[in-house]
């Protein structure tokens, strides 16, 4: 017998923060879920960042096969400069679980998942995340669902869409102390909006799978890590720190209540899964990777480019930043902060900028050796602790679109792509940065009770959801069903079935992007991503 499945995404949530919140009584429902159900660590994609990680959750495939590596992608038609655009659903090379379920008679509801803008229609309901209010209506599936949700009491379209004003009040935008309460209240309103839409799906539609992402967890942890992690919390909080911490706790209390009500509304026959796309951890410094490349003769700036003074890109347009690089002489560069990746420019034809193809392997080895050997002159310790080649990190049909090298820094932080006076600088305050270790929590019908799981991989989420819906797991999935989540008796009566391979989207690779965001909307989203610290 099939039962409804509920997937709750908590962007960036980690046990480092969740466990203390539970111990303080701030999130009692999640604490109860961990006690009565099962839980464990969920290991993210090689570069633990939002677009590739959530896409892996939706496809059961690693970024080397689904093709999403970052928030942006580069137009390959240009050799003399870098021309980029935001990634969207048309860049996903693999079938999503929404499509897989839909063509087998199941109805799925997908709410606030990134990379879903311009998604092909499927048998279900969808409102994508990371979309401006102008495009939210036209990207809602089916169109009549928009009429149902736009007037719901707790749904403010401006709040649930990507808003430039909110972006200014995030990590990179210089949030002022007096703005924190208003900003946290905004995050609460945003979560309430998505919660209301999820309740609408649960109570009034025949959805076999309802999936919703709450993104404020990531936003808060980036901004106020030092007020939530006991290891970094000041011993003597100022009045402002006490008030701000209490506002943060109020956000988590209300989120816990929303999750509780979603689960209760779904009913006792529902299976519940809570996951994060990645975790977070502390970051204390900034490594200017493009400056390192310049110092070693791989990258050249144009004349007149100013050095970064604040560790931010908020004063620059992203396109202006790329225009500041001399592409005729540059052979290696870091594209964005978010991917921590170095790209090597290989000339496709003689005379084009970049290195000859036959020099690729030796240059890559040279970069790896030099980066791992670089030591912070202040401490005489290595800054880059691990480097993965694209073959190691992202095997698959889209591997050549991946960064040639993916860096891990000693504090797991993001690099900066800007010009600077020094290669390594301490951050003014401890911030939150992405960590590969997220969370997995499950409970409900046929889920094992009071159990701890060994670490699972993020690609295991999609097959586990399909199994929960009574569907076979496609043979080309890289993830596996997390069988330890289910009662042994249920597994015996319902063994995992392997089914046919997925059906790739019809318009794969180098797709027409004419039906995309208007330039003004794309700039707004890029500005918000910069303000969130992804391009600084």
């Amino acid at each position: 017998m099939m039962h409804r499945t509920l997937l709750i995404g908590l962007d960036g949530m980690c046990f480092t923060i969740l466990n203390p919140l539970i111990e303080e009584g701030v999130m009692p429902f999640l604490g109860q879920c961990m006690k009565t159900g099962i839980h464990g660590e969920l290991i993210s994609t090689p570069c633990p960042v939002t677009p590739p990680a959530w896409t892996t959750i939706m496809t059961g495939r690693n970024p080397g096969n689904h093709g999403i590596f970052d928030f942006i992608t580069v137009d390959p038609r240009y050799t003399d400069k870098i021309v980029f655009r935001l990634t969207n659903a048309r860049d996903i090379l693999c079938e999503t679980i929404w499509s897989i379920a839909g063509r087998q008679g199941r109805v799925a509801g997908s709410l606030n998942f990134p990379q879903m803008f311009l998604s092909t229609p499927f048998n279900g309901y969808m409102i994508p995340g990371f979309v401006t209010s102008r495009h939210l209506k036209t990207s809602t599936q089916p169109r009549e669902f928009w009429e149902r949700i736009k007037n719901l009491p707790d749904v403010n379209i401006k709040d649930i869409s990507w808003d430039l004003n909110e972006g200014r009040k995030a990590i990179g935008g210089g949030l002022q102390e007096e703005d924190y309460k208003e900003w946290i209240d905004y995050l609460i309103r945003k979560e309430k909006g998505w919660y209301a839409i999820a309740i609408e799906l649960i109570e009034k539609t025949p959805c076999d799978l309802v999936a919703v992402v709450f993104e404020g967890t990531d936003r808060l942890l980036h901004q106020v890590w030092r007020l939530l992690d006991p290891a970094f919390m000041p011993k003597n909080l100022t009045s402002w720190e006490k008030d701000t911490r209490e506002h943060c706790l109020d956000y988590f209390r209300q989120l816990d209540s929303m999750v509780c009500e979603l689960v209760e509304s779904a009913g006792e026959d529902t299976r519940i899964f809570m996951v994060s796309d990645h975790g977070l951890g502390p970051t204390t410094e900034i490594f200017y990777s493009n400056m390192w490349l310049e110092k070693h003769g791989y990258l050249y700036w144009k004349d007149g480019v100013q050095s970064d003074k604040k560790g931010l890109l908020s004063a620059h347009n992203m396109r202006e930043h790329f225009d500041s690089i001399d592409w005729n002489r540059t052979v290696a560069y870091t594209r964005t902060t978010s991917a921590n990746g170095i790209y090597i420019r290989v000339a496709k034809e003689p005379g084009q900028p970049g290195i000859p193809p036959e020099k690729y392997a030796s240059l890559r080895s040279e970069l790896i050796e030099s980066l791992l050997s670089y030591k912070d002159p202040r401490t005489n310790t290595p800054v880059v602790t691990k480097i993965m080649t694209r073959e190691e990190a992202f095997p698959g049909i889209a591997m050549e679109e991946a960064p040639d090298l993916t860096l891990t820094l000693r504090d797991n932080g993001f690099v900066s792509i800007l010009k600077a006076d020094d290669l390594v600088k301490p951050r003014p305050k401890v911030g939150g940065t992405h960590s590969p270790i997220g969370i997995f929590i499950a409970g409900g019908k046929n889920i094992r009770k009071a159990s701890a799981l060994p670490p699972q991989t993020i690609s295991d989420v999609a097959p586990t959801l399909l199994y929960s819906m009574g569907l076979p797991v496609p043979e080309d999935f890289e993830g596996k069903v997390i069988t330890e989540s289910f009662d042994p008796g249920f597994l015996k009566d319902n063994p995992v079935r392997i089914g046919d391979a997925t059906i790739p989207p019809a318009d794969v690779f180098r797709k027409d992007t004419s039906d995309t965001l208007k330039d003004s909307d794309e700039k707004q989203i890029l500005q918000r991503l910069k303000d969130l610290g992804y391009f600084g």
Side-chain angles (χ1 to χ4, degrees):
M1 179 180 178
M2 184 188 65
H3 297 278
R4 171 179 277 169
T5 298
L6 176 61
L7 174 65
I8 298 173
L10 302 174
D11 199 302
M13 183 56 89
C14 56
F15 288 116
T16 302
I17 298 298
L18 179 57
N19 286 339
L21 290 174
I22 291 171
E23 291 172 6
E24 287 186 59
V26 175
M27 303 193 83
F29 181 73
L30 263 69
Q32 185 67 17
C33 290
M34 289 175 60
K35 278 185 179 181
T36 59
I38 57 97
H39 67 276
E41 295 177 347
L42 191 66
I43 308 304
S44 187
T45 46
C47 182
V49 70
T50 296
W54 282 119
T55 306
T56 291
I57 286 175
M58 291 186 286
T59 64
R61 311 288 291 277
N62 94 84
N65 276 314
H66 64 57
I68 302 294
F69 302 98
D70 202 350
F71 290 99
I72 67 172
T73 187
V74 167
D75 191 327
R77 295 174 296 179
Y78 297 87
T79 59
D80 60 336
K81 59 182 177 180
I82 298 296
V83 177
F84 66 92
R85 62 173 175 80
L86 290 165
T87 53
N88 58 58
R90 291 185 178 179
D91 296 298
I92 300 176
L93 305 181
C94 300
E95 191 174 19
T96 65
I97 54 174
W98 329 122
S99 171
I100 296 168
R103 62 182 173 80
Q104 296 182 80
R106 303 291 192 264
V107 179
S110 169
L111 304 176
N112 201 28
F113 279 77
Q115 316 313 123
M116 282 289 93
F117 178 64
L118 297 181
S119 172
T120 53
F122 59 89
N123 181 34
Y125 302 82
M126 193 266 292
I127 305 177
F130 285 47
V131 176
T132 59
S133 57
R134 188 196 319 229
H135 288 84
L136 208 58
K137 176 180 179 179
T138 56
S139 57
T140 296
Q141 298 183 26
R143 292 295 173 86
E144 55 267 26
F145 186 47
W146 174 261
E147 300 302 320
R148 288 172 51 187
I149 64 99
K150 68 178 183 179
N151 294 319
L152 290 174
D154 285 325
V155 176
N156 182 308
I157 299 304
K158 185 178 180 181
D159 285 341
I160 67 171
S161 61
W162 274 60
D163 177 59
L164 179 59
N165 291 327
E166 185 274 332
R168 289 189 300 104
K169 296 181 178 181
I171 298 171
L175 188 65
Q176 300 300 307
E177 288 189 353
E178 62 269 21
D179 295 328
Y180 270 75
K181 183 181 186 302
E182 178 186 346
W183 180 65
I184 295 169
D185 288 342
Y186 162 80
L187 293 177
I188 294 172
R189 294 196 307 273
K190 176 184 284 290
E191 310 297 39
K192 285 183 175 179
W194 289 113
Y195 155 79
I197 298 171
I199 287 288
E200 177 76 8
L201 279 181
I202 290 171
E203 295 184 348
K204 298 181 181 179
T205 57
C207 277
D208 304 293
L209 168 65
V210 174
V212 58
V213 172
F214 293 108
E215 62 186 87
T217 41
D218 179 273
R219 307 291 180 258
L220 274 181
L221 297 184
H222 272 296
Q223 184 69 21
V224 294
W225 182 269
R226 66 191 181 90
L227 299 181
L228 293 169
D229 182 355
F232 289 89
M233 195 179 305
K235 291 183 178 180
N236 298 306
L237 295 175
T238 65
S239 176
W240 175 85
E241 288 171 335
K242 289 179 181 178
D243 289 343
T244 302
R245 173 174 158 77
E246 185 53 42
H247 291 320
C248 293
L249 297 183
D250 184 53
Y251 164 87
F252 285 108
R253 289 189 190 97
Q254 294 201 46
L255 179 62
D256 188 73
S257 178
M258 284 182 258
V259 172
C260 176
E261 292 178 29
L262 284 175
V263 172
E264 290 180 352
S265 295
E268 60 182 13
D269 284 341
T270 302
R271 281 188 277 274
I272 314 297
F273 298 93
M274 303 180 202
V275 303
S276 61
D277 54 334
H278 54 76
L280 269 93
T283 176
T284 59
E285 63 188 14
I286 306 169
F287 174 55
Y288 290 85
S289 56
N290 275 345
M291 280 305 301
W292 184 94
L293 291 168
E294 182 203 35
K295 183 177 180 180
H296 289 78
Y298 304 109
L299 179 146
Y300 293 85
W301 305 98
K302 292 180 180 177
D303 293 340
V305 178
Q306 299 299 310
S307 294
D308 171 53
K309 301 298 183 183
K310 298 180 180 180
L312 310 173
L313 193 59
S314 56
H316 298 263
N317 180 282
M318 193 68 178
R319 289 185 175 86
E320 290 174 356
H321 166 71
F322 279 123
D323 287 343
S324 70
I325 295 175
D326 183 345
W327 295 112
N328 288 322
R329 294 192 292 166
T330 293
V331 298
Y333 70 103
T334 306
R335 184 177 295 172
T336 68
T337 287
S338 49
N340 270 14
I342 291 178
Y343 290 81
I344 298 172
R345 305 185 74 215
V346 179
K348 295 181 179 179
E349 298 177 7
Q352 289 183 348
I355 60 170
E358 61 270 18
K359 292 187 177 181
Y360 174 79
S362 61
L363 177 60
R364 192 170 70 167
S365 296
E366 180 181 297
L367 282 168
I368 293 173
E369 182 178 356
S370 297
L371 279 162
L372 290 175
S373 300
Y374 170 67
K375 295 182 179 180
D376 179 358
R378 296 180 179 86
T379 62
N380 198 36
T381 55
V383 175
V384 180
T385 57
K386 180 181 179 182
I387 300 176
M388 289 181 286
T389 65
R390 63 188 184 187
E391 293 90 347
E392 294 168 332
F394 306 111
I397 60 173
M399 182 182 70
E400 292 188 1
E401 303 296 310
D404 296 280
L405 300 174
T406 297
L407 312 184
T408 299
L409 306 184
R410 60 184 174 186
D411 72 343
N412 286 311
F414 289 135
V415 300
S416 174
I417 62 177
L418 300 181
K419 186 175 183 180
D421 300 326
D422 205 349
L423 297 185
V424 183
K425 293 183 181 181
R427 294 184 183 274
K429 296 179 181 178
V430 175
T433 191
H434 289 190
S435 157
I437 302 175
I439 69 167
F440 179 87
I441 302 171
K445 192 75 172 181
N446 308 122
I447 299 295
R448 289 175 60 187
K449 311 301 181 186
S451 299
L453 287 173
Q456 307 295 316
T457 65
I458 198 169
S459 60
D460 296 337
V461 175
T464 302
L465 295 174
L466 292 178
Y467 173 74
S468 178
M469 287 188 281
L471 297 175
V473 177
E475 63 180 8
D476 56 345
F477 263 26
E478 293 166 73
K480 60 176 177 57
V481 177
I482 305 176
T483 53
E484 302 96 324
S485 300
F486 297 89
D487 290 330
F490 178 79
L491 279 168
K492 182 178 180 180
D493 295 338
N494 301 273
V496 175
R497 295 177 293 138
I498 303 301
D500 295 336
T502 56
I503 300 176
D507 50 348
V508 296
F509 252 156
R510 307 304 173 208
K511 299 160 284 296
D512 173 28
T513 59
S514 57
D515 182 21
T516 187
L517 290 174
K518 292 184 178 181
D519 188 59
S520 59
D521 294 300
E522 184 168 278
K523 285 181 178 179
Q524 182 182 119
I525 292 176
L526 286 168
Q527 180 62 52
R528 186 174 172 195
L529 290 170
K530 287 184 289 184
D531 290 338
L532 290 170
Y534 290 119
F535 294 145

